[in-house]
Each structure stands twice: as C-alpha cells, then as structure tokens.
Amino acid sequence: MVWALQAGVLLVVAVVLRRVLRMGQTASREKVSRQPKPNSPVYLSLTSEIEAHTTILGVLLNDAIEEQNSGNTELARHTLNLFDSERQRVVDLVINLQNLALKYLPAALNTIVTRTLSDRSFRSEPVSDLIRRQGNLEQFVFRSKLRFQLQLRLLRRATAILNESFEEIKHDAEVNSKLFDWALSQIDLHLHDLDLLARETLLGFSAELASMPRGVLQELADEVIALTSRSSVLKTLVPAAHQQVR
C-alpha cells in the first residue's frame, strides 16, 4: 500500500514537472518570436549613420598605423588627430542614443528581450574589467524593463569609460613620443570595443522600438533624426522614416 502511494506521488510530480518544462519551452519560444526584426527605417538610419562613422575611424586608424610603420610619424600624428575628432562624434552619438533609449523606456509596452554582455567579447582593459564586475547584476533582476534599463546604463557607463581611456592614451602619447606605437595598438583595441558597444546599443534600441506604441514612434523618430541630422548619410532615409511612423 505504501509502495503504491509513493508511486502515485512520483507520477503526479512527473506530470507536474513535464507541464512546467513545456510551459518554459513555450515561453522561451514566445520570447524569441518577439525579438524585433531590424527593418525599421529609424533603426536603419541609425545603423547607416554609426556604420559610416566607424568605417571612417577604421580607415583613419589604418592610415595612421601605415604612416607610422613607414617612418612618417608626423603625418601619422596628424591622421590620428583626425581620427580623434571623428571618434568623439561617434561616442557622442552612441551615448545620446543610450540616453534616448532610457528616456523612452517607460513608454515600452511589451517584454524587452535583453542580451547578456560578456567581458570576453571586449578587448580593452577598462571595458572588459567593467563588464566582468557589473555585467552579471542583471541576471538577478526578473522584470524585463528594469533589466533592460540596467543594461543600457552599463552600456552608457562602458562607453564613457572607454572615451576616458581614449583621452588618456592620446595624452600619454603626446607627452612621451616613445609611447606612440603603444598608443596605436591600444587605440586599435579600443576601436573594436567602441564598435561593439555601438552595435549592442543599436540592438537594444531595436528591441525597444518593437515595444513602442505607435503614438510615440513619431516623436521618437524626430529625436533620432535630430541626433543624426549633421550627417549626409540620412538624407535619403529621413522621408522614409517619417512615412513609416505616420
């Protein structure tokens, strides 16, 4: 009799676990299906803008490295100055986009699926250290908006720290000419991380766009256009962005 009772309890537990596991699988599939497709004109305009600037940065840095390897240190320094000016524009754009995403986050309606940041994806010491220390905090938060907010703040902090490190490297190379080769190698690592932070920010913004009510999209699109209005990359995309949200 006891044996039969134990068997019955085990059977009930097995059925309950099976249903729970199936519910988890269903929820997982639903979350994946809600992930936004990056085809919004607003998103595409931002992607074009940031990719254009990061491509310019890559070309300028490669030119500076080639000039330095050829013994043209003075020309390499001038090229690096151009790189630094363009780099600040990218940093400002990415941080402004992160601030914009935080500003409109309360209006989001649906669950926002976040991506976990890994310190192994980053190459610069300041950013990898930050992600290693703070990147896992969001795993202890179960509300999707709050988790997304924490990630946006982490991305913004990482971008600011990376920018500060750029400035320190530039200053060290200006003070000590012997550090110029080292500075170029470090800037190469930092550029990789700047590009990665920009991409993660774009993916997060895309997820937020998919959760925005239609009535908010026009206002959001106008602010995105204002952020990127200084660049000619968006000229052909601005009308499309306005038409999409009307």
Side-chain angles (χ1 to χ4, degrees), residues 39-63:
N39 56 3
S40 164
V42 176
Y43 175 83
L44 293 176
S45 67
L46 280 167
T47 302
S48 298
E49 177 73 29
I50 291 176
E51 285 185 352
H53 287 305
T54 52
T55 299
I56 293 171
L57 286 176
V59 171
L60 288 173
L61 181 58
N62 286 336
D63 286 348

Side-chain angles (χ1 to χ4, degrees), residues 48-228:
S48 298
E49 177 73 29
I50 291 176
E51 285 185 352
H53 287 305
T54 52
T55 299
I56 293 171
L57 286 176
V59 171
L60 288 173
L61 181 58
N62 286 336
D63 286 348
I65 293 173
E66 289 179 3
E67 294 297 342
Q68 177 66 6
N69 291 338
S70 300
N72 302 320
T73 301
E74 192 63 27
L75 186 55
R77 287 185 178 276
H78 286 306
T79 306
L80 193 59
N81 286 335
L82 293 174
F83 169 93
D84 194 60
S85 176
E86 184 68 19
R87 183 263 306 171
Q88 190 60 58
R89 293 180 64 188
V90 177
V91 169
D92 290 343
L93 178 57
V94 173
I95 290 180
N96 285 333
L97 179 57
Q98 292 159 353
N99 289 332
L100 190 64
L102 285 167
K103 174 183 176 181
Y104 281 89
L105 181 58
L109 298 176
N110 303 321
T111 299
I112 302 178
V113 181
T114 58
R115 290 161 45 89
T116 301
L117 299 177
S118 172
D119 62 282
R120 290 175 293 181
S121 300
F122 296 91
R123 297 178 182 175
S124 68
E125 185 175 344
V127 176
S128 58
D129 285 349
L130 177 68
I131 302 300
R132 188 180 304 113
R133 286 185 282 107
Q134 300 184 15
N136 293 325
L137 293 178
E138 64 189 49
Q139 297 181 10
F140 301 98
V141 179
F142 298 100
R143 292 170 54 195
S144 67
K145 277 191 180 182
L146 182 55
R147 190 186 311 118
F148 185 65
Q149 182 186 62
L150 288 175
Q151 187 173 93
L152 282 174
R153 292 185 181 278
L154 179 59
L155 287 170
R156 185 174 62 180
R157 179 61 179 152
T159 307
I161 286 178
L162 188 69
N163 191 47
E164 292 172 3
S165 186
F166 265 119
E167 296 291 344
E168 291 174 0
I169 292 170
K170 177 188 175 185
H171 177 266
D172 291 344
E174 290 174 348
V175 172
N176 188 348
S177 59
K178 295 180 179 179
L179 296 177
F180 191 68
D181 286 327
W182 166 84
L184 289 175
S185 64
Q186 289 298 306
I187 289 173
D188 189 25
L189 300 180
H190 282 51
L191 179 57
H192 169 272
D193 287 1
L194 178 58
D195 181 65
L196 186 55
L197 289 170
R199 292 178 186 277
E200 290 292 343
T201 300
L202 283 169
L203 286 172
F205 187 71
S206 175
E208 186 173 339
L209 277 177
S211 301
M212 283 293 122
R214 192 169 186 83
V216 178
L217 284 177
Q218 179 63 62
E219 181 182 349
L220 181 56
D222 290 340
E223 293 215 40
V224 169
I225 292 168
L227 284 181
T228 54

